Amino acid sequence: MAKFPSPGGRIQISNHGGAQARWRADGKELYYIAMNKKLMAVSIDATNGTLKAGVPHALFQTRIIAPRIVLFQYAVSADGKRFLINSLPSTGTAPVTVLLN
């Protein structure tokens, strides 16, 4: 991760890779999909103009198609408490349909 728009120092978030990184609305947490398809969260501290990342922790296992896909397969609410996951159905279960009116 680096400052934008000017180049700056970088901090490593994961030792094991990840994809589809998304920020919580307040910028205090970063989410990503690990290679084992778990949704991960990392706290970010940006005080005094420097970035410090906490230790990544798994929130839950997903059933997404693949972690390294071009499009995002999940969305996160502004407060980081709810997630909408586009996942493969479990075997033998009926699909869930969400309608917004």
Side-chain angles (χ1 to χ4, degrees):
M1 184 166 57
K3 288 183 179 182
F4 181 81
S6 62
R10 294 177 178 226
I11 58 171
Q12 187 166 339
I13 300 297
S14 169
N15 291 329
H16 305 290
Q20 303 182 40
R22 302 199 89 153
W23 287 98
R24 191 168 75 188
D26 63 5
K28 293 184 178 183
E29 200 162 33
L30 181 68
Y31 307 99
Y32 66 93
I33 302 290
M35 294 299 104
N36 61 3
K37 300 183 183 178
K38 289 185 180 181
L39 184 68
M40 306 294 288
V42 179
S43 61
I44 303 292
D45 181 12
T47 55
N48 301 326
T50 61
L51 292 175
K52 293 180 185 174
V55 177
H57 63 280
L59 296 178
F60 52 86
Q61 182 69 48
T62 69
R63 291 190 317 266
I64 61 170
I65 297 168
R68 292 194 181 244
I69 198 165
V70 175
L71 302 173
F72 285 104
Q73 296 176 75
Y74 71 100
V76 59
S77 64
D79 62 3
K81 293 184 179 182
R82 294 179 307 266
F83 297 88
L84 181 63
I85 310 285
N86 183 11
S87 63
L88 296 170
S90 319
T91 48
T93 61
V96 174
T97 303
V98 177
L99 298 175
L100 297 175
N101 191 0

